[in-house]
Coordinates of all heavy atoms in Angstrom, one line a residue:
N766 N 96.1 94.1 67.7 CA 97.4 94.0 67.0 C 97.5 95.2 66.1 O 96.5 95.6 65.4 CB 97.3 92.7 66.2 CG 98.6 92.3 65.5 OD1 99.4 93.2 65.2 ND2 98.8 91.0 65.4
N767 N 98.7 95.8 66.0 CA 98.8 97.0 65.2 C 99.5 96.8 63.9 O 100.0 97.7 63.2 CB 99.6 98.1 66.0 CG 101.0 97.6 66.4 OD1 101.3 96.4 66.3 ND2 101.9 98.5 66.8
T768 N 99.7 95.5 63.5 CA 100.4 95.2 62.2 C 99.6 95.8 61.1 O 98.3 95.6 61.0 CB 100.5 93.7 62.1 OG1 101.2 93.2 63.2 CG2 101.3 93.4 60.8
G769 N 100.2 96.5 60.2 CA 99.6 96.9 58.9 C 98.8 98.2 59.1 O 98.1 98.7 58.2
C770 N 98.9 98.9 60.3 CA 98.1 100.1 60.5 C 99.1 101.2 61.0 O 100.0 100.9 61.8 CB 97.0 99.9 61.5 SG 95.7 98.9 61.0
T771 N 98.9 102.4 60.5 CA 99.8 103.5 60.9 C 98.9 104.7 61.4 O 97.9 105.0 60.7 CB 100.7 104.0 59.8 OG1 99.9 104.3 58.7 CG2 101.7 102.9 59.4
P772 N 99.2 105.3 62.5 CA 98.4 106.4 63.0 C 98.9 107.8 62.5 O 100.1 107.9 62.1 CB 98.5 106.3 64.5 CG 99.9 105.8 64.7 CD 100.2 104.9 63.5
E773 N 98.0 108.7 62.4 CA 98.3 110.1 62.0 C 97.4 111.0 62.7 O 96.2 110.9 62.8 CB 98.1 110.2 60.5 CG 98.4 111.6 59.9 CD 98.1 111.7 58.5 OE1 98.1 110.7 57.8 OE2 97.9 112.8 58.0
I774 N 98.0 112.0 63.4 CA 97.2 113.0 64.2 C 96.6 114.0 63.2 O 97.3 114.6 62.4 CB 98.1 113.8 65.2 CG1 98.7 112.8 66.2 CG2 97.3 114.8 65.9 CD1 99.7 113.4 67.2
S775 N 95.3 114.1 63.3 CA 94.6 115.1 62.4 C 93.8 116.0 63.3 O 92.6 115.8 63.6 CB 93.6 114.3 61.5 OG 94.2 113.4 60.7
G776 N 94.5 117.1 63.7 CA 93.9 118.0 64.6 C 93.7 117.4 66.0 O 94.6 117.0 66.6
E777 N 92.4 117.3 66.4 CA 92.1 116.6 67.7 C 91.7 115.2 67.5 O 91.3 114.5 68.4 CB 91.0 117.4 68.4 CG 91.4 118.8 68.9 CD 90.3 119.4 69.7 OE1 89.2 118.8 69.7 OE2 90.5 120.5 70.3
N778 N 91.8 114.7 66.2 CA 91.4 113.3 65.9 C 92.6 112.5 65.5 O 93.7 113.0 65.3 CB 90.3 113.3 64.8 CG 89.1 114.0 65.3 OD1 88.7 114.0 66.4 ND2 88.4 114.7 64.3
I779 N 92.4 111.2 65.3 CA 93.4 110.3 64.9 C 92.9 109.6 63.6 O 91.8 109.0 63.6 CB 93.7 109.2 66.0 CG1 94.3 109.8 67.2 CG2 94.7 108.2 65.4 CD1 95.6 110.5 67.1
T780 N 93.8 109.6 62.6 CA 93.5 108.9 61.3 C 94.3 107.7 61.2 O 95.5 107.7 61.5 CB 93.7 109.8 60.1 OG1 92.9 111.0 60.2 CG2 93.5 109.1 58.8
C781 N 93.7 106.6 60.9 CA 94.3 105.3 60.8 C 94.3 104.8 59.4 O 93.3 104.8 58.8 CB 93.7 104.2 61.7 SG 93.7 104.6 63.5
N782 N 95.5 104.5 58.9 CA 95.6 104.0 57.5 C 96.0 102.5 57.6 O 97.1 102.2 58.1 CB 96.6 104.8 56.7 CG 96.2 106.3 56.6 OD1 95.2 106.6 56.0 ND2 97.1 107.2 57.1
C783 N 95.2 101.6 57.1 CA 95.4 100.2 57.3 C 95.4 99.5 55.9 O 94.6 100.0 55.0 CB 94.4 99.6 58.2 SG 94.4 100.3 59.9
D784 N 96.1 98.4 55.8 CA 96.2 97.7 54.5 C 95.4 96.4 54.5 O 95.7 95.5 53.7 CB 97.6 97.5 54.1 CG 98.4 96.6 55.1 OD1 97.7 96.1 56.1 OD2 99.6 96.5 55.0
H785 N 94.5 96.3 55.4 CA 93.6 95.1 55.5 C 92.3 95.4 56.1 O 92.1 96.5 56.5 CB 94.3 93.9 56.2 CG 94.8 94.4 57.6 ND1 93.9 94.3 58.7 CD2 95.9 94.9 58.1 CE1 94.6 94.7 59.8 NE2 95.8 95.1 59.4
L786 N 91.4 94.4 56.2 CA 90.1 94.6 56.7 C 89.8 93.8 57.9 O 90.3 92.6 58.0 CB 89.0 94.3 55.6 CG 89.1 95.1 54.3 CD1 88.2 94.5 53.3 CD2 88.8 96.5 54.5
T787 N 89.1 94.3 58.9 CA 88.6 93.5 60.0 C 88.0 94.6 61.0 O 87.4 95.6 60.5 CB 89.6 92.7 60.7 OG1 89.1 91.9 61.7 CG2 90.8 93.5 61.3
S788 N 88.1 94.4 62.3 CA 87.5 95.3 63.2 C 88.7 96.2 63.8 O 89.7 95.6 64.2 CB 86.8 94.6 64.4 OG 85.8 93.8 63.9
F789 N 88.5 97.5 63.8 CA 89.5 98.4 64.2 C 89.1 99.4 65.3 O 87.9 99.5 65.6 CB 89.9 99.3 63.0 CG 90.4 98.5 61.8 CD1 89.5 98.1 60.8 CD2 91.7 98.2 61.6 CE1 89.9 97.4 59.7 CE2 92.1 97.5 60.5 CZ 91.2 97.1 59.6
S790 N 90.1 100.0 66.0 CA 89.8 101.1 66.9 C 91.2 101.7 67.1 O 92.2 101.3 66.6 CB 89.2 100.6 68.2 OG 88.8 101.7 69.0
I791 N 91.2 102.8 68.0 CA 92.4 103.4 68.4 C 92.6 103.1 69.9 O 91.7 103.1 70.7 CB 92.4 105.0 68.1 CG1 91.2 105.6 68.8 CG2 92.4 105.3 66.7 CD1 91.2 107.1 68.8
L792 N 93.9 102.9 70.2 CA 94.3 102.7 71.6 C 95.3 103.8 72.0 O 96.1 104.1 71.2 CB 94.9 101.3 71.8 CG 93.9 100.1 71.8 CD1 93.5 99.7 70.4 CD2 94.6 98.9 72.5
M793 N 95.1 104.3 73.2 CA 96.0 105.3 73.7 C 96.5 105.0 75.1 O 95.8 104.3 75.9 CB 95.3 106.7 73.7 CG 95.0 107.2 72.4 SD 94.3 108.9 72.5 CE 93.9 109.2 70.8
S794 N 97.7 105.4 75.4 CA 98.3 105.2 76.7 C 97.8 106.2 77.7 O 97.7 107.4 77.4 CB 99.8 105.3 76.6 OG 100.4 105.2 77.9
P795 N 97.3 105.8 78.9 CA 96.9 106.7 79.9 C 98.2 107.5 80.3 O 99.2 107.0 80.6 CB 96.5 105.9 81.1 CG 96.3 104.5 80.5 CD 97.2 104.4 79.3
D796 N 98.0 108.9 80.2 CA 99.2 109.7 80.4 C 99.5 109.8 81.9 O 98.7 110.2 82.7 CB 98.9 111.1 79.9 CG 100.1 112.1 80.1 OD1 101.2 111.8 79.5 OD2 100.0 113.0 80.9
S797 N 100.7 109.4 82.3 CA 101.1 109.5 83.6 C 102.6 109.9 83.6 O 103.4 109.1 83.0 CB 100.9 108.2 84.4 OG 101.6 107.1 83.8
I798 N 102.9 111.0 84.2 CA 104.3 111.4 84.3 C 105.0 110.5 85.3 O 105.0 110.8 86.5 CB 104.4 112.9 84.6 CG1 103.6 113.7 83.6 CG2 105.9 113.3 84.6 CD1 104.1 113.6 82.2

Side-chain angles (χ1 to χ4, degrees):
N766 190 327
N767 63 343
T768 304
C770 292
T771 57
E773 178 183 337
I774 299 176
S775 303
E777 295 184 350
N778 299 326
I779 297 295
T780 298
C781 295
N782 300 300
C783 300
D784 59 8
H785 55 86
L786 302 171
T787 185
S788 298
F789 303 89
S790 189
I791 55 170
L792 284 77
M793 294 184 183
S794 174
D796 180 68
S797 57
I798 304 296

